Amino acid sequence: MAIALLVVIYLTFISLGLPDPVLGSSFPAISGNLGLSSDLAGYIGIGLTAATILSSFLSSFVLQKVKAKYYVAVSVLMTALGLLLFSFVRNDTWWAFFPIAVLVGLGAGGIDAALNNFVALHYKAIHMNWLHCSWGIGASTSPLILGAFIDPATDDGWPNGVLTISIIQFAIALLVFLTLPLWDRVAAQGKKAPEEEAPIEKGDHRRLLKEPIFYLAVLGFFSYCALETSSGFWGASFFSYAKGLDSSLSASLASLFYIGIAVGRFFSGLLSVKLKPRWMIRIGEIVLLIGSVTALLPLPWQVSAAGFLLIGIGCGPIFPSIILLTPYRFSKRLSQTAMSMEMAVAYLGSLVVSPLFGLIAKSLGNEFGILPYLVLGFAIFMFLLHEVIDFRLRKRDETLSEEEKEAYRTPGV
């Protein structure tokens, strides 16, 4: 029974990944087909990300009144509906991209918040890595579908690609609704750990804000999400404008980044049995550096494509590993508070950097070829940042007694 529900949850996280690259991957074709400015995608992305932030923030209040299973089912249905409406946008209704992005963002934020919490409470930790691997599978599938439908000669066909993705979303939504009874049965079998039962106490936020490492940690979250969102969102534009490829091939190549994330997270789940999260982060950052340098070399597009695949693989272990390190960094007592505040800043990185990059690239004459330099800069910054955090934590541990260390002790860390 638990395995059956886990399969449904994995499929639901695939549905979370499916909408994410749709706007960025299809927009080179949309801008050509509808005669829209190439940087408009960045402004639409602001609405989508802002809605996701709002949904994630409000989810803790909504889930106090609504069961997670209903929240997830409705959220998947919202993203499916948003994609369906997306496929009907034409020249005279281009403004509809904005409210549609809000609808998709609200649905995506609900899925993310509810499913991460449910899996954390009722399944083993290894499934968290593979849950995010499922997101990568969904995110890498969408550009491939779009690329198959887009006509490179006319930039048409993208509506049919988006419509196909929405049909997949509706099918997953139907499956979630049909399996709603499983949720309560699995939940009834599970038990919470003591730290999961402890509510957030008054003053936890103030205590956290007094921790110097907290500010370094949120900078790490900000940088990672800025890098990931920008790479995924503008990848198709990079291949279209910087490498001169047609919109169909560019959309397909954008999937390499998400394929890399899926592959990276699958193997990070396996390697996490032997390697600690701090080493998984180091490995990811080194691969990021190699990938970004490869992508920016003035060589044929095939080399840049390999670079984007490496960038995705490098991203793979970083986000789940940072999450796993949170209790060790701030104690099990403050981990839930730290997590919510870190995620808020992480989404801010997506909200600010990706649209700003699009604006800068557009002002430079569609110079999306600078994207690998953005990745390289954030990769170097994150590497230095996490090394400073690790150094300070080792110094902290040297001053703690065995009893005090227990408050920070986390399995696998």
Side-chain angles (χ1 to χ4, degrees), residues 117-135:
N117 183 61
F118 188 87
V119 172
L121 292 177
H122 302 294
Y123 290 94
K124 293 180 180 179
I126 192 172
H127 292 299
M128 186 62 75
N129 264 308
W130 288 349
L131 190 71
H132 288 276
C133 172
S134 297
W135 173 89

Side-chain angles (χ1 to χ4, degrees), residues 74-138:
V74 172
S75 295
V76 177
L77 189 60
M78 288 172 64
T79 60
L81 180 60
L83 289 171
L84 177 64
L85 295 173
F86 189 105
S87 68
F88 287 107
V89 176
R90 297 295 183 267
N91 300 70
D92 55 344
T93 57
W94 63 268
W95 52 267
F97 281 129
F98 289 95
I100 291 170
V102 171
L103 178 62
V104 173
L106 289 174
I111 299 170
D112 205 359
L115 280 185
N116 274 308
N117 183 61
F118 188 87
V119 172
L121 292 177
H122 302 294
Y123 290 94
K124 293 180 180 179
I126 192 172
H127 292 299
M128 186 62 75
N129 264 308
W130 288 349
L131 190 71
H132 288 276
C133 172
S134 297
W135 173 89
I137 293 172

Side-chain angles (χ1 to χ4, degrees), residues 105-187:
L106 289 174
I111 299 170
D112 205 359
L115 280 185
N116 274 308
N117 183 61
F118 188 87
V119 172
L121 292 177
H122 302 294
Y123 290 94
K124 293 180 180 179
I126 192 172
H127 292 299
M128 186 62 75
N129 264 308
W130 288 349
L131 190 71
H132 288 276
C133 172
S134 297
W135 173 89
I137 293 172
S140 60
T141 301
S142 288
L144 293 175
I145 293 174
L146 289 165
F149 278 95
I150 294 173
D151 183 348
T154 63
D155 286 332
D156 202 1
W158 63 266
N160 293 330
V162 177
L163 180 61
T164 301
I165 298 169
S166 75
I167 291 172
I168 298 173
Q169 288 288 84
F170 276 114
I172 296 175
L174 177 61
L175 181 63
V176 174
F177 276 104
L178 291 175
T179 55
L180 286 177
L182 286 177
W183 292 69
D184 289 335
R185 295 175 193 170
V186 173

